[in-house]
């Protein structure tokens, strides 16, 4: 009998789960509370309760070759950093190509996911749903995959801002921000310097009278554009990952900080934090330094208090007549349809083996997909988690004993606490390549570099020294894709193509013999000088005028 799997959420993680279930011969049923796929990346003018929401201008900060699903490259003509509308277009292409949409029940909310009475034997779940008409139904599933993300519940810490109740202007969380036009010629304060805070500050600063960016700790700012104009994340490869493992943390951070400060001095721009580069999730923003340099953005410390229309900062400075305060203060995640004994969330922390499986659950039939914050793209990670989870559901891959899983969870929490500054943002942080390799090793699809260098040297060199694109995890093992090798060999062509929008032939340089003649003469002269005692007398007499006096 085919095993039925409930997939909760139709965003990027949910689509990857449906596809992985189909690949493994499982029967997925996806419940999506809205009327469309896309999750976080689907723009809507009016935010919906308990759903992620983005602003109109959002452009992803990971490049297309690094963010695509591993067996479905993004079209070559798409830009390297895509607007949210193009990301949605890609998701639709993916869903159509693999015929995923027919497995989705739209406008259906999951009310409860509960273990069945015989769970210790069957591993089955009762799933209660409600459609848009209010009709409830109960279903039995052999496994459940939760894909609701971690951007649903805005974190709005008003208690940390004395006087907010007296503020005469408008304030809201960044999820409620959509466009800047209504704030033209106004004064605005953005609190928080994560990716959303930086983007919103830059966009508002183009129309506001003045924009103030308030940050407690500062931040290291990365640029999307890397060396020679290529996307920055394409420079992240296995060699760099190896250096991170062998070099002391401070040394590796120092190398990165020095490179970032060559673009602009973070201390000069009042952005330099006390923590090291790799102790916080960095902010990706190409325009923020330009806006600071032009004066349209002023960087300020934390807010001490608000009073009427004035805002006082920790350094004692006061800004009057503030019209808008945007709280770019992150999100909280939770699983309201799950009983707390299945998996509990406290302080934005959940105890999950490899960030996927509740370790103490009797049967491994519940997986939480996409609950990570990588320095890199989430889509390939969610896909890798889904591929692993479905193999576990089938019994093809086993989990270790409970004690080993709990030890792994504790080890990861301690490592994270040691490395990162204390923040609810850093409870699910992972390094992209290290984590991908870790899950790929459990699944049996991690590329074997030494073997590749022996059997297919060209491919091995590209995997080792080239960008760590997701196609590497389709070269072997479960889910092997015949097109993976070709995708790796053509990835730079797809990077270049969207920028080739006009003929731009390099000017043909005129061939000059001047420098070869000068160099040849210098070499001959040097050789003659060294061997002057062995030259014929007549020739030596002719050359003496050109040789140094003795």
């Amino acid at each position: 009998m085919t095993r039925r799997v409930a997939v909760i959420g139709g965003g990027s993680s949910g689509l990857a789960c449906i596809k992985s279930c189909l690949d493994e011969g499982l029967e997925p049923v996806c419940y999506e509370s809205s009327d469309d796929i896309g999750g976080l990346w689907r723009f809507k003018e009016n935010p919906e309760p308990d759903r992620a929401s983005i602003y109109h201008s959002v452009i992803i900060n990971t490049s297309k070759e690094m963010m695509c699903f591993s067996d479905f490259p993004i079209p070559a003509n798409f830009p390297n950093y895509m607007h949210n509308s193009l990301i949605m277009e890609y998701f639709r292409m993916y869903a159509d190509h693999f015929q995923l949409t027919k497995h989705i029940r739209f406008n259906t909310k999951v009310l409860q996911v509960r273990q069945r009475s015989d769970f210790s034997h069957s591993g089955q779940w009762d799933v209660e749903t409600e459609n848009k008409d209010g009709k409830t139904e109960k279903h039995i599933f052999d496994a459940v995959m939760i894909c609701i993300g971690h951007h649903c519940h805005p974190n709005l810490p008003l208690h940390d801002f004395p006087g907010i109740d007296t503020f005469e202007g408008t304030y809201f969380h960044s999820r409620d921000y959509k466009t800047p036009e209504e704030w033209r010629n106004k004064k605005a304060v953005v609190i928080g310097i994560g990716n959303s805070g930086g983007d919103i500050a830059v966009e508002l600063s183009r129309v506001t009278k003045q924009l103030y960016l308030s940050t407690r700790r500062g931040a290291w700012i990365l640029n999307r554009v890397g060396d020679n104009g290529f996307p920055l994340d394409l420079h992240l490869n296995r060699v760099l990952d190896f250096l991170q493992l062998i070099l002391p943390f401070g040394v590796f951070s120092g190398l990165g900080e020095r490179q970032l400060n060559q673009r602009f001095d973070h201390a000069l721009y009042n952005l330099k934090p006390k923590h090291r580069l790799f102790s916080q999730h960095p902010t990706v923003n190409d325009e923020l330094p330009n806006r600071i340099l032009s004066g349209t953005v002023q960087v300020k410390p934390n807010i001490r208090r608000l009073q009427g229309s004035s805002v006082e900062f920790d350094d004692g400075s006061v800004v009057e007549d503030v019209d808008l305060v945007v709280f770019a203060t992150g999100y909280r995640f939770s699983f309201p349809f799950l009983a707390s004994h299945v998996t509990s969330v406290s302080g934005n922390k959940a105890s999950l083996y490899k960030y996927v499986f509740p370790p103490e659950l009797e049967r491994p039939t519940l997986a939480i997909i996409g609950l990570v914050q990588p320095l890199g793209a989430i889509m390939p990670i969610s896909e890798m988690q889904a591929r692993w989870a479905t193999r576990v559901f089938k019994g093809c891959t086993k989990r270790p004993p409970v004690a080993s899983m709990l030890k792994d969870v504790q080890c990861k929490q301690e490592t994270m606490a040691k490395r990162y500054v204390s923040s609810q943002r850093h409870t699910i942080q992972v390094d992209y390549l290290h984590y991908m390799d870790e899950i790929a090793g459990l699944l049996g699809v991690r590329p074997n570099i030494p073997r590749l260098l022996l059997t297919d040297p060209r491919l091995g060199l590209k995997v080792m020294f080239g960008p760590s694109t997701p196609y590497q995890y389709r070269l072997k093992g479960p889910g092997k894709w015949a097109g993976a090798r070709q995708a790796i060999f053509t990835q730079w062509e797809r990077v270049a193509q969207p920028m080739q929008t006009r003929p731009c032939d390099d000017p043909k340089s005129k061939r000059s013999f001047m420098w070869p003649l000068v160099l040849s003469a210098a070499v001959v002269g040097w050789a003659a000088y060294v061997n002057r005692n062995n030259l014929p007398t007549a020739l030596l007499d002719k050359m003496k005028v050109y040789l140094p006096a003795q």
Side-chain angles (χ1 to χ4, degrees):
M1 183 179 295
T2 303
R3 297 179 183 178
R4 301 180 73 234
V5 180
V7 178
I8 303 175
S12 61
S13 297
L15 294 176
C17 286
I18 299 171
K19 164 76 161 47
S20 296
C21 285
L22 295 174
D23 287 347
E24 293 296 335
L26 304 173
E27 181 186 337
V29 179
C30 177
Y31 296 108
E32 167 55 45
S33 61
S34 74
D35 60 357
D36 201 358
I37 63 171
L40 169 69
W41 293 102
R42 183 165 60 92
F43 172 78
K44 293 201 76 171
E45 193 67 44
N46 299 310
E48 300 169 329
D50 300 327
R51 287 188 58 81
S53 180
I54 56 173
Y55 39 100
H56 184 269
S57 62
V58 166
I59 292 175
I60 196 166
N61 54 29
T62 51
S63 68
K64 66 177 182 180
E65 290 299 304
M66 294 297 292
M67 64 156 277
C68 66
F69 295 114
S70 59
D71 57 355
F72 195 73
I74 293 173
N77 63 304
F78 277 36
N80 285 281
Y81 290 106
M82 298 191 295
H83 184 262
N84 58 83
S85 59
L86 284 176
I87 295 173
M88 282 297 299
E89 186 175 339
Y90 171 65
F91 288 163
R92 295 193 198 286
M93 293 167 62
Y94 181 75
D96 291 344
H97 182 79
F98 294 109
Q99 300 181 30
L100 307 181
T101 311
K102 64 182 180 182
H103 300 280
I104 304 176
R105 308 291 181 265
F106 292 107
N107 297 305
T108 304
K109 182 180 180 181
V110 173
L111 302 177
Q112 192 173 50
V113 176
R114 186 174 61 248
Q115 295 163 289
R116 304 207 79 209
S117 57
D118 64 345
F119 180 81
S120 60
H121 170 69
S122 68
Q124 290 183 326
W125 299 84
D126 286 321
V127 177
E128 184 178 358
T129 62
E130 180 184 62
N131 65 16
K132 63 180 179 180
D133 299 322
K135 180 183 178 182
T136 61
E137 293 182 345
K138 290 185 178 181
H139 316 265
I140 299 173
F141 285 97
D142 299 292
V144 176
M145 306 178 85
I146 299 174
C147 315
I148 62 174
H150 50 90
H151 293 96
C152 294
H153 310 295
N155 177 47
L156 197 60
L158 299 182
H159 58 276
D160 291 335
F161 296 89
I164 188 67
D165 55 324
T166 71
F167 183 57
E168 296 173 357
T170 301
Y171 69 86
F172 51 71
H173 191 271
S174 57
R175 79 184 295 270
D176 296 313
Y177 171 82
K178 296 301 170 183
T179 57
E181 281 306 316
E182 64 179 298
W183 305 107
R184 184 173 293 278
N185 298 322
K186 307 287 187 181
K187 285 186 181 180
V189 176
V190 175
I191 302 171
I193 197 171
N195 288 317
S196 295
D199 282 350
I200 292 171
V202 164
E203 184 166 272
L204 280 172
S205 72
R206 297 193 187 101
V207 300
T208 53
K209 184 177 182 181
Q210 184 62 57
L211 190 289
Y212 302 91
L213 179 57
S214 171
T215 169
R216 285 182 298 172
R217 284 189 288 259
W220 294 103
I221 309 298
L222 300 184
N223 201 12
R224 285 182 176 90
V225 183
D227 293 343
N228 300 311
F230 288 108
L232 177 66
D233 54 4
L234 293 181
H235 298 288
L236 304 177
N237 57 30
R238 295 182 178 277
V239 175
L240 197 64
D241 186 65
F242 178 71
L243 289 176
Q244 184 177 2
L245 291 175
I246 63 173
L247 291 177
F249 179 78
V251 173
F252 191 72
S253 294
L255 291 172
E257 291 161 11
R258 193 173 299 113
Q259 188 168 359
L260 294 183
N261 278 324
Q262 285 178 353
R263 181 185 174 222
F264 73 91
D265 187 332
H266 283 60
L268 179 65
Y269 281 61
N270 276 336
L271 288 171
K272 183 179 180 180
K274 293 180 180 179
H275 58 263
R276 306 308 301 268
L277 171 59
F278 297 105
S279 294
Q280 184 184 35
H281 192 87
T283 298
V284 179
N285 197 300
D286 297 74
E287 296 184 67
L288 183 58
N290 300 331
R291 307 310 295 181
I292 295 172
L293 198 61
S294 65
T296 56
V297 171
Q298 289 187 20
V299 181
K300 306 293 286 184
N302 198 36
I303 291 177
R304 179 180 293 170
R305 66 174 63 89
L306 300 95
Q307 181 66 46
S309 62
S310 67
V311 175
E312 181 182 352
F313 298 94
D314 279 348
D315 62 354
S317 61
V318 178
V319 175
E320 305 285 352
D321 303 320
V322 174
D323 301 286
L324 171 68
V325 175
V326 180
F327 286 84
T329 45
Y331 294 83
R332 296 172 289 104
F333 64 82
S334 66
F335 310 107
F337 44 77
L338 271 182
S340 59
H341 71 270
V342 175
T343 184
S344 61
V345 177
S346 177
N348 247 28
K349 296 179 182 178
S351 179
L352 297 170
Y353 175 59
K354 306 297 184 187
Y355 302 99
V356 175
F357 288 104
E360 296 181 279
L361 207 57
E362 294 172 277
R363 301 293 297 273
T365 56
L366 175 73
I368 297 175
I369 306 298
L371 191 66
V372 290
Q373 180 75 48
L375 179 55
I378 184 66
M379 293 79 168
I381 287 182
S382 294
E383 181 192 43
M384 182 65 73
Q385 291 176 330
R387 292 171 65 189
W388 175 47
T390 50
R391 297 286 290 178
V392 172
F393 293 162
K394 288 179 63 178
C396 300
T397 302
K398 303 293 183 182
R399 295 185 311 170
V402 173
S404 297
M405 290 190 287
L406 290 173
K407 185 177 180 180
D408 182 84
V409 171
Q410 183 180 1
C411 180
K412 279 182 166 51
Q413 290 175 346
E414 290 173 353
T415 301
M416 198 176 303
K418 183 179 179 181
R419 171 175 167 179
Y420 292 100
V421 295
S422 178
S423 168
Q424 68 173 18
R425 189 185 188 193
H426 298 134
T427 58
I428 50 176
Q429 194 77 23
V430 297
D431 289 323
Y432 172 83
L433 182 56
H434 180 77
Y435 182 73
M436 286 285 280
D437 275 354
E438 186 177 11
I439 304 302
L442 298 172
L443 180 60
V445 299
R446 180 176 178 174
N448 187 327
I449 306 295
R451 183 177 179 83
L452 281 175
L453 290 172
L454 288 173
T455 59
D456 193 343
R458 288 182 62 213
L459 177 61
L461 289 171
K462 288 184 179 295
V463 171
M464 185 172 181
F465 294 102
S468 300
T469 45
Y471 320 121
Q472 297 184 4
Y473 302 99
R474 291 284 182 176
L475 291 169
K476 67 169 194 173
K480 178 180 178 181
W481 175 43
R485 186 180 187 276
Q486 181 64 14
I488 292 171
F489 273 83
T490 56
Q491 57 197 3
W492 289 108
E493 296 173 17
R494 289 189 296 278
V495 170
Q497 182 169 326
M499 296 181 281
Q500 306 305 302
T501 53
R502 63 174 283 265
C504 189
D505 296 330
D506 292 332
K508 295 180 180 179
S509 58
K510 294 181 179 179
R511 191 171 182 180
S512 173
F513 294 98
M514 182 184 71
W515 284 110
L517 288 172
V518 170
L519 290 173
S520 299
V523 170
V524 170
W526 174 78
Y529 175 71
V530 171
N531 296 285
R532 61 187 180 279
N533 295 327
N534 300 323
L535 291 173
T537 303
L539 181 59
L540 184 59
D541 289 340
K542 292 181 180 180
M543 296 182 61
K544 276 183 178 179
V545 293
Y546 302 105
L547 296 174
Q550 297 195 21

